């Protein structure tokens, strides 16, 4: 598949807008998870603005592709994408986490148009995605199901129950991303509880595994296209990313997992973005 | 001679019948399909049956995903592994988004028998009724189990159906009306109101016969739906007797007894009350009937409690 230089540049500039929203909305909320939202910004941008077949005017359209943000604490990245896509007004972004807001601290599909699943408690999203992918097979529909997991999240045992299931039922309409930024709340994933080798584990569970740079739009798009051609097994795209990507003082800093920038820090970040 | 049938066999048959009528119905199990009887559905509808292996947490999530695409999943395992092991998945992946998933579990209570305490869910009703959006049904016999399955499929949203394992007396009739949230008065009386759920309804009816012989006229009410609870009927019945006994094959903490007490206290209803259930202890291995007797879940004990209550008030 060849994607034009122009398309890549458009997506890169969209990802920059998404990152600006993330910083602004979390700063305004006064709490939230900037690190993991920024690390998955390029993946989410590529999915919503190039890959996924969705209709902002009809969020429940049965034929749509679906995204389950299993690492639900990165909600701001999906909220920003949904608002940019037109699922709801951008003004909602600045009400994130406020009492009565449409945008909950973690994704609530009943509250927010465009969300395909309620998540937040880690380890549960891949199972729901399995159910959606099974449903597509039962219904002979050709929509695809995407999931984004964290590399810390895959310490949850349920992920591996779900990984077994996806391979057992040959869910080749399911593509999972692991946002491999290497950090979790308590420190580096390899220090807290190493999930390595992530690639070898998924391979052993019967998955097709693709390794990419999770900030390279071209690589993201190529991996997604490759996944579509792989029959009889699910694909996981292990995406090497940088936590806090795009905001230099947040990059690779564990402390920015779940901390909001002050208004001054946000201003500094936005000047760079 | 009373007709006998295991509610779980009735569940398996009902699911197949429901599957014939509604092609959106799918069944999931976690390697207990021959015990929960979902295997019957699996044999009849191969494509619509998913065995997820010994992995209940994932099963609940898969059921959630299937429901999001329009299917009506019935997820089955033993009560302890459903309500217990997968509690948080039921909470966050099913009840919070109010998904149309039916959790039909078998082997509730101590009548699991010989397998012992690890397999005897005695706290599941309490756990499930604490969840917003959840409907909780505990059928009293095989016939009611079938009706509960069909009724659950008819409403939108999560439903927990707790189904008993052993062969048990059939005490309701095919033609009886069954409506979720509507309790049933099975026998009218004026001295004491016995509210029972699940297999304990039959025990309560048996007790009422003995009590009648001894001059105590008991009302027996089948609370097949623990949530939403039929508060109006409870208040109406208790107003007549001012004496309440609840009977459940479940811990007395948080189940039927607690639910009834909450209603009575909040409505300022003055009544004497006794809860019969498992008294804050675990079960054990043994013959189901002997275990019921051991934990006071027998007609004989209901009679004893009722007599004491009436005596004390004389």
């Amino acid at each position: 598949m060849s994607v034009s230089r122009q398309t890549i540049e458009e997506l890169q500039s969209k990802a920059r807008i998404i990152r600006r929203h993330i910083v602004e909305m979390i700063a305004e909320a006064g709490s939230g998870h900037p690190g993991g939202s920024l690390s998955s910004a390029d993946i989410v941008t590529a999915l919503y603005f190039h890959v996924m077949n969705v209709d902002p005017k009809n969020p429940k359209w049965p034929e749509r592709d679906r995204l389950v943000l299993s690492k639900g604490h990165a909600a701001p990245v999906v909220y920003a994408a949904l608002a940019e896509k037109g699922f709801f007004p951008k003004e909602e972004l600045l009400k994130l986490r406020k009492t009565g807001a449409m945008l909950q601290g973690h994704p609530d599909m009943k509250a927010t148009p465009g969300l395909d699943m309620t998540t937040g408690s880690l380890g549960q999203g891949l199972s729901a995605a399995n159910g959606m992918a099974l449903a597509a097979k039962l219904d002979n529909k050709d929509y695809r199901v995407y999931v984004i997991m964290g590399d810390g999240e895959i310490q949850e045992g349920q992920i591996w129950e779900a990984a077994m299931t996806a391979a057992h039922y040959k869910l080749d309409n399911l593509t999972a991303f692991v946002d491999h930024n290497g950090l979790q709340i308590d420190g580096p994933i390899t220090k807290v509880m190493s999930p390595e080798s992530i690639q070898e584990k998924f391979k052993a569970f019967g998955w097709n595994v693709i390794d990419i740079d999770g900030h390279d739009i071209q690589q993201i798009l190529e991996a997604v296209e490759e996944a579509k051609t792989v029959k009889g097994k699910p694909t996981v795209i292990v995406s090497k990313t940088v936590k806090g990507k795009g905001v230099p003082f947040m990059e690779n800093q564990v402390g920015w997992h779940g901390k909001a920038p002050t208004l001054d820090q946000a201003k500094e970040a936005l000047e760079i973005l | 001679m009373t007709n006998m049938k295991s509610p779980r066999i009735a569940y398996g048959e009902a699911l197949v019948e429901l599957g014939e009528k509604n092609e959106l119905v799918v069944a999931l199990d976690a390697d207990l399909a021959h015990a929960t009887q979902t295997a019957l559905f699996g044999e009849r509808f191969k494509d619509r049956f998913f065995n997820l292996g010994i992995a209940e947490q994932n099963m609940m999530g898969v059921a959630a995903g299937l429901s999001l695409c329009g299917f009506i999943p019935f997820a089955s395992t033993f009560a302890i592994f459903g309500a217990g092991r997968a509690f948080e998945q039921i909470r966050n992946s099913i009840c919070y988004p109010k998904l149309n998933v039916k959790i039909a579990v078998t082997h509730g209570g101590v009548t699991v028998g010989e397998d012992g305490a690890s397999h005897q869910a005695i706290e599941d009703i309490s756990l499930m009724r604490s969840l917003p959006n959840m409907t909780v049904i505990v059928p009293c016999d095989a016939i009611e189990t079938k009706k509960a399955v069909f009724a659950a499929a008819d409403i939108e949203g999560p439903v927990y159906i707790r189904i008993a394992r052993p062969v048990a007396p059939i005490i309701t009739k095919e033609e009886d009306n069954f409506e979720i949230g509507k309790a049933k008065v099975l026998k009218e009386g004026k001295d004491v109101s016995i509210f029972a759920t699940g297999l304990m309804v039959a025990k309560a009816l048996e007790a009422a016969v003995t009590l009648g012989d001894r001059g105590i006229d008991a009302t027996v009410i089948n609370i097949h739906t623990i949530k939403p609870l039929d508060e109006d009927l409870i208040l109406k019945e208790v107003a007549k007797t001012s004496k309440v006994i609840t009977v459940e094959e479940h811990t007395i903490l948080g189940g039927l007894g607690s639910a009834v007490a909450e209603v009575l206290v909040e409505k300022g209803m003055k009544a004497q009350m006794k809860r019969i259930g498992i008294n804050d202890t675990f079960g054990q291995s043994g013959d189901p009937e002997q275990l019921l007797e051991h934990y006071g879940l027998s007609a004989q004990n209901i009679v004893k409690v009722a007599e004491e209550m009436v005596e004390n008030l004389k």
Side-chain angles (χ1 to χ4, degrees):
Chain A
M1 183 202 70
S2 67
V3 182
S4 70
R5 191 64 236 159
Q6 193 194 340
T7 301
I8 301 284
E9 279 168 12
E10 280 168 10
L11 288 169
Q12 284 167 337
S13 108
K14 187 61 89 176
R16 205 169 305 119
I17 294 167
I18 299 288
R19 284 193 163 90
R20 293 180 65 88
H21 283 312
I22 291 169
V23 170
E24 282 173 327
M25 65 200 288
I26 296 177
E28 177 66 27
S31 69
H33 300 83
S37 300
L38 292 165
S39 68
S40 49
D42 300 295
I43 295 165
V44 170
T45 301
L47 287 175
Y48 273 109
F49 295 91
H50 191 78
V51 175
M52 285 170 57
N53 198 9
V54 293
D55 180 3
K57 300 243 172 337
N58 186 7
K60 298 281 176 204
W61 178 42
E63 313 297 322
R64 74 192 185 278
D65 292 327
R66 284 143 172 94
L67 172 67
V68 179
L69 183 71
S70 196
K71 48 171 288 185
H73 55 280
V77 65
V78 168
Y79 293 159
L82 291 175
E84 279 294 320
K85 197 82 186 162
F87 280 90
F88 51 80
K90 286 176 204 164
E91 296 79 73
E92 292 293 333
L93 296 177
L94 294 180
K95 299 181 202 156
L96 170 71
R97 288 176 169 251
K98 307 255 194 253
T99 309
M102 163 201 286
L103 303 181
Q104 294 292 295
H106 292 83
D108 174 359
M109 61 170 291
K110 290 286 185 218
T112 310
L115 285 179
D116 293 313
M117 182 58 188
T118 294
T119 52
S121 176
L122 294 176
Q124 298 191 23
L126 187 57
S127 299
N130 279 341
M132 295 174 189
L134 275 174
K137 298 253 175 201
L138 263 180
D139 269 346
N140 289 314
K141 291 194 170 175
D142 59 3
Y143 62 78
R144 297 187 64 82
V145 183
Y146 296 92
V147 193
I148 302 175
M149 296 177 279
D151 55 358
E153 179 188 13
I154 63 174
Q155 291 160 353
E156 289 279 8
Q158 188 185 346
I159 290 291
W160 301 101
E161 296 181 1
M164 237 184 288
T165 300
H168 182 84
Y169 284 104
K170 301 183 169 48
L171 300 180
D172 49 20
N173 51 353
L174 173 77
T175 302
F177 287 86
V178 174
D179 179 5
H180 192 7
N181 61 36
L183 298 175
Q184 59 190 115
I185 305 182
D186 278 353
I189 56 167
T190 50
K191 289 272 175 8
V192 176
M193 180 51 66
S194 178
E196 301 290 2
S197 155
I198 296 169
Q199 291 86 344
E200 292 302 319
K201 282 194 177 68
F202 275 100
K203 244 177 239 166
F205 274 74
W207 287 56
N208 175 49
V209 180
I210 305 173
D211 259 303
I212 63 162
D213 172 347
H215 299 306
D216 185 323
I217 297 278
Q218 173 105 28
Q219 286 189 35
I220 296 168
L221 297 181
E222 283 173 2
V224 165
E225 284 307 311
E226 184 189 322
K228 288 181 187 171
T229 67
V230 175
K231 296 298 167 202
K233 51 165 85 174
T235 290
V236 60
I237 301 171
V238 180
S239 313
K240 188 83 200 73
T241 56
V242 172
K243 198 150 186 162
K245 175 73 176 179
V247 179
F249 62 86
M250 289 186 181
E251 287 187 359
N252 285 318
Q253 298 299 311
V254 168
W256 287 103
H257 171 90
K259 189 175 72 174
T262 62
L263 293 179
D264 282 346
Q265 285 168 326
K267 202 173 153 216
E268 183 188 340
L270 290 172
E271 274 162 17
I272 301 157
L273 279 167
Chain B
M1 180 72 195
T2 320
N3 280 330
M4 306 281 284
K5 184 169 182 169
S6 165
R8 68 178 161 132
I9 305 288
Y11 168 56
E13 293 168 357
L15 200 56
V16 171
E17 203 175 306
L18 180 65
E20 304 273 6
K21 293 197 171 110
N22 189 342
E23 60 182 19
L24 292 175
V25 171
V26 296
L28 297 81
D29 208 302
D31 195 41
L32 288 169
H34 292 277
T36 65
Q37 302 294 317
T38 59
L40 290 174
F41 187 96
E43 284 155 23
R44 178 70 184 78
F45 309 105
K46 221 173 170 18
D47 295 345
R48 285 152 60 191
F49 175 72
F50 305 102
N51 199 327
L52 279 313
I54 309 166
E56 297 78 11
Q57 303 169 66
N58 175 58
M59 175 173 74
M60 295 305 171
V62 172
L66 281 160
S67 79
L68 280 166
C69 299
F71 289 97
I72 305 172
F74 276 71
S76 291
T77 175
F78 289 178
I80 187 65
F81 309 129
R85 180 63 156 263
F87 173 78
E88 204 237 301
Q89 283 73 17
I90 294 174
R91 180 192 189 275
N92 277 322
S93 284
I94 294 174
C95 283
Y96 178 29
K98 204 180 179 185
L99 299 185
N100 197 25
V101 175
K102 316 304 169 187
I103 300 154
V105 297
T106 64
H107 293 62
V110 292
T111 48
V112 166
E114 292 76 1
D115 276 349
S118 62
H119 284 52
Q120 296 164 346
I122 52 168
E123 53 290 280
D124 56 321
I125 295 172
S126 173
L127 288 167
M128 292 297 105
R129 89 176 180 95
S130 72
L131 293 174
N133 297 330
M134 185 64 107
T135 294
V136 181
I137 307 176
V138 187
C140 69
D141 67 3
I143 289 176
E144 197 167 77
T145 298
K146 179 181 168 184
K147 288 175 186 167
V149 168
F150 275 75
D154 270 350
I155 63 168
E156 181 76 20
V159 179
Y160 181 79
I161 311 177
R162 188 215 219 199
I163 300 162
R165 170 185 181 244
V167 172
I170 290 182
I171 54 176
T172 63
K173 297 190 188 69
E174 294 285 356
E175 62 269 25
D176 289 347
N177 179 46
F178 176 88
E179 196 182 330
I180 290 173
K182 292 285 175 211
K184 305 274 283 190
V185 177
L186 300 183
K187 183 199 163 295
E188 303 260 12
K190 57 182 180 6
D191 295 329
V192 58
S193 306
I194 307 175
F195 296 93
T197 194
L199 298 185
M200 295 304 101
V201 178
K203 302 289 181 198
L205 282 172
E206 196 186 328
V209 173
T210 311
L211 285 168
D213 292 343
R214 299 181 188 180
I216 296 172
D217 192 9
T219 301
V220 177
I221 301 115
N222 173 12
I223 305 282
H224 54 67
T225 309
I226 306 282
K227 189 184 178 185
L229 193 63
D230 192 344
E231 298 189 4
D232 292 344
L233 184 133
I234 290 169
L235 292 168
K236 202 177 95 195
E237 291 303 322
V238 175
K240 293 180 194 165
T241 63
S242 301
K243 288 187 279 299
V244 182
I245 297 173
T246 57
V247 199
E248 59 196 307
E249 194 191 345
H250 185 270
T251 172
I252 54 166
L253 305 175
L256 172 68
S258 298
V260 170
E262 288 160 15
V263 174
L264 298 180
V265 171
E266 291 213 332
K267 300 290 177 186
M269 185 71 84
K270 280 198 180 133
Q272 296 287 312
M273 181 169 178
K274 286 281 182 194
R275 292 168 297 162
I276 299 178
I278 314 276
N279 288 304
D280 198 20
T281 182
F282 285 104
Q284 59 180 297
S285 289
D287 169 75
E289 277 302 319
Q290 288 174 3
L291 290 178
L292 288 178
E293 256 171 60
H294 175 82
Y295 292 104
L297 299 167
S298 60
Q300 199 186 1
N301 189 50
I302 298 169
V303 168
K304 186 170 160 260
V305 171
E307 283 184 325
E308 282 168 6
M309 195 177 253
V310 173
E311 282 303 310
N312 287 343
L313 293 173
K314 268 183 184 165

